[in-house]
Amino acid sequence: MAHPSVAPVSGPAIKVPAVEIPTIPLLQLGTWVVFYGLLAMLAIFFVSADQGAISLPAGNAVHEWVHDARHLLGYPCH
Amino acid sequence: MSKVNPGRKPALTPAAFLVRGLVAGLLAGLVAFGVAFALGEPHVDHAIGLEEAAAEHLTPEEVAAEEAAAAEPGMVEISRENQKSFGLLTGTAAVGTALGGLTALAAAAVVGRLGRLSARGSTLLVAGIGFVAVALVPFVKYPATPPAVGDPETISDRTAEYFALVLISVLAAIGAVVVGRRLLGRFDGVDAGLIAAGGFVAVVSAAGLLLPSVNEVGAFPADLLWQFRRSSILTLASLWATIAVILTVLVGRLHDAVTADAQRRALAAGL
Ligand SMILES: [Zn+2]
């Protein structure tokens, strides 16, 4: 086999610039996730399920008002 | 020489992410409203027309029962004009803002923790996972239904099953990210991501097979059903795509500002 021998490339070590992305401590983030998470789920509940499976308050005003969004965002409506 | 402004130091904090998520989510809600109004509402109106045509064949007893239910306290009638404009907008804006904030907090958790993926790349990935886990997976098993489709007797079960699948899907997605991150030491980033994605698909597929199916379409026209469902998934896609794009831009700019600020301070300290 007369392949030309390829010398191993051995240049000076390439300096990879350190791409340092700061992180947020998960414990600090946890508080936000709990409080904002509850608020967000409450908002989603009123649009997606209220006065369908569970009623708070009684009646159909919330259901009727967000009715089209409930259907078009894919939530079970009636 | 450099203007150091200690009062306004840009920082990657949960609050900074959340505010950006709320902005992205509200804008996404407006975009989703536009898509839903333009593409979806004609089909909703058509389906309601079919529902009303069917109501003409009710027996006098059924009509009396409906009138009695409508006369109960707390029952209101909202015009179609309000439902398809302000009502629809309320729903898409509320859900968009809620999901935008949640996506931002999820991005806050992973930025800087996914190997060499940049802040922009991580944010875009989180929003993409959000669309798949929160919208696409539930849609595949329990697709959106237009008015006139669905048995009111089963609404509680269908709601519980739908949200059970959302919960499983979101937990599986979080699990996949955690596992994918652990695989980073042994595998290349793309390989680790593909293995984690495979695990996610396996879990949600099993959940989809185990959860009960819904067969309540009846004699509803197939063309209209498909057109409605297509407009629904396009609405969801537009919502998530807007969250993804706006949040990626806003988080990317914040990250650039934080990095530039850190470099300026390091330079100033070295002089
Ligand atoms: Zn409905």
Side-chain angles (χ1 to χ4, degrees):
Chain A
M1 299 304 234
H3 285 299
S5 67
V6 178
V9 182
S10 62
I14 301 158
K15 261 195 185 168
V16 180
V19 191
E20 190 71 26
I21 306 175
T23 56
I24 295 174
L26 291 181
L27 216 61
Q28 184 195 352
L29 189 62
T31 324
W32 289 82
V33 170
V34 169
F35 286 106
Y36 177 74
L38 284 173
L39 209 64
M41 281 197 283
L42 196 68
I44 293 171
F45 164 74
F46 278 113
V47 177
S48 68
D50 190 29
Q51 293 169 346
I54 306 164
S55 279
L56 270 184
N60 70 345
V62 177
H63 180 131
E64 285 296 306
W65 184 254
V66 297
H67 176 267
D68 287 25
R70 193 172 293 185
H71 278 282
L72 284 163
L73 292 174
Y75 301 112
C77 182
H78 51 214
Chain B
M1 288 292 282
S2 68
K3 275 191 268 177
V4 179
N5 194 346
R8 291 191 46 194
K9 183 176 184 286
L12 288 180
T13 62
F17 272 84
L18 182 55
V19 168
R20 283 157 179 79
L22 296 176
V23 169
L26 183 61
L27 291 170
L30 298 179
V31 169
F33 165 74
V35 172
F37 185 83
L39 301 184
E41 282 298 345
H43 308 312
V44 174
D45 281 337
H46 193 167
I48 287 174
L50 295 177
E51 197 174 33
E52 283 169 356
E56 285 172 16
H57 303 292
L58 292 179
T59 63
E61 293 82 42
E62 285 170 328
V63 172
E66 283 209 347
E67 281 171 356
E72 277 178 30
M75 302 304 270
V76 298
E77 178 138 1
I78 289 163
S79 73
R80 283 297 303 139
E81 270 54 51
N82 278 331
Q83 278 186 332
K84 65 204 272 189
S85 56
F86 299 110
L88 176 63
L89 179 61
T90 307
T92 58
V95 169
T97 309
L99 292 175
L102 290 174
T103 307
L105 291 182
V110 302
V111 162
R113 291 191 167 94
L114 296 179
R116 283 179 289 114
L117 206 56
S118 68
R120 285 180 176 82
S122 304
T123 305
L124 198 57
L125 180 68
V126 164
I129 292 172
F131 170 68
V132 172
V134 179
L136 189 59
V137 164
F139 191 91
V140 169
K141 173 70 180 173
Y142 299 120
T145 55
V149 170
D151 177 3
E153 299 279 310
T154 62
I155 183 64
S156 294
D157 289 344
R158 282 184 287 122
T159 303
E161 287 151 16
Y162 178 89
F163 284 103
L165 184 55
V166 172
L167 182 67
I168 293 168
S169 181
V170 168
L171 291 178
I174 294 170
V177 172
V178 171
V179 169
R181 192 170 168 261
R182 294 206 161 192
L183 296 175
L184 276 179
R186 265 169 289 166
F187 298 91
D188 156 83
V190 172
D191 291 353
L194 288 175
I195 295 167
F200 171 78
V201 170
V203 170
V204 294
S205 299
L209 287 170
L210 292 172
L211 283 164
S213 294
V214 176
N215 295 301
E216 299 181 354
V217 171
F220 192 85
D223 283 341
L224 181 54
L225 183 66
W226 160 245
Q227 287 155 3
F228 170 83
R229 285 178 171 168
R230 186 180 53 193
S231 68
S232 170
I233 194 67
L234 287 173
T235 298
L236 290 168
S238 71
L239 183 101
W240 281 98
T242 309
I243 290 178
V245 170
I246 309 253
L247 190 61
T248 299
V249 168
L250 294 179
V251 168
R253 285 180 166 194
L254 174 68
H255 176 258
D256 291 347
V258 170
T259 313
D261 185 65
Q263 282 171 348
R264 203 165 49 231
R265 277 158 201 277
L267 202 66
L271 287 176

